[in-house]
């Protein structure tokens, strides 16, 4: 029980301190999550699917890389977010449905990942 209490205290303390690296979309300064992603301009579903898979594959590679996992930089966090968002966008595309929210998030999170890598 002591470990659980300590762990919870660390999480709560980090959140209250504001120092947590999070995929918080509230600032909106870093990418147009509420706007239109470039992905949305791709009219051909096969081409769009290929691009979403490319972004997802890159995010998976970063999320699985010890270089980025251990780097202490937020690239790993954004890669994890991107692989989920792109995966969901891909799943919808398999049903011929373009989920604009997940397409926006896929592109946004991938661009954040790349930004923190370099």
């Amino acid at each position: 029980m002591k470990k659980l209490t300590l762990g919870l205290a660390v999480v709560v303390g980090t959140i209250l301190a504001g120092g947590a690296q999070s995929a918080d979309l509230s600032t909106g300064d870093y990418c147009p999550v509420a706007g239109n992603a470039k992905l949305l301009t791709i009219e051909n579903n096969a081409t769009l699917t290929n691009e979403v898979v490319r972004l997802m594959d890159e995010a998976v590679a970063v999320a699985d890389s010890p270089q980025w996992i251990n780097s202490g930089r937020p690239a790993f966090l954004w890669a994890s977010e991107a692989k989920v968002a792109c995966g969901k966008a891909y799943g919808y595309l398999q049903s011929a449905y373009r989920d604009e929210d997940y397409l926006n998030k896929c592109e946004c999170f991938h661009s954040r990942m790349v930004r923190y890598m370099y």
Side-chain angles (χ1 to χ4, degrees):
M1 183 67 175
K2 191 172 188 174
K3 286 183 183 180
L4 178 63
T5 303
L6 178 60
L8 184 58
V10 169
V11 170
V12 171
T14 302
I15 291 170
L16 292 176
Q21 296 173 351
S22 68
D24 183 10
L25 302 178
S26 62
T27 61
D29 294 337
Y30 51 83
C31 57
V33 173
N36 292 328
K38 291 176 187 172
L39 290 174
L40 297 176
T41 65
I42 300 172
E43 293 182 22
N44 181 289
N45 275 353
T47 304
L48 177 60
T49 299
N50 288 340
E51 184 62 12
V52 168
V53 168
R54 183 185 69 78
L55 297 177
M56 182 173 56
D57 287 346
E58 288 177 7
V60 168
V62 172
D64 289 346
S65 169
Q67 172 189 357
W68 296 110
I69 293 169
N70 300 319
S71 75
R73 298 180 74 186
F76 168 76
L77 171 78
W78 289 107
S80 299
E81 295 291 336
K83 74 179 187 178
V84 170
C86 294
K88 288 183 178 185
Y90 173 73
Y92 282 117
L93 287 169
Q94 295 303 297
S95 301
Y97 175 73
R98 292 172 171 242
D99 187 287
E100 291 186 11
D101 186 45
Y102 281 115
L103 289 168
N104 280 320
K105 288 179 180 180
C106 173
E107 187 173 295
C108 171
F109 298 161
H110 181 273
S111 67
R112 289 295 283 179
M113 172 193 80
V114 170
R115 180 174 176 192
Y116 285 110
M117 290 174 70
Y118 305 103

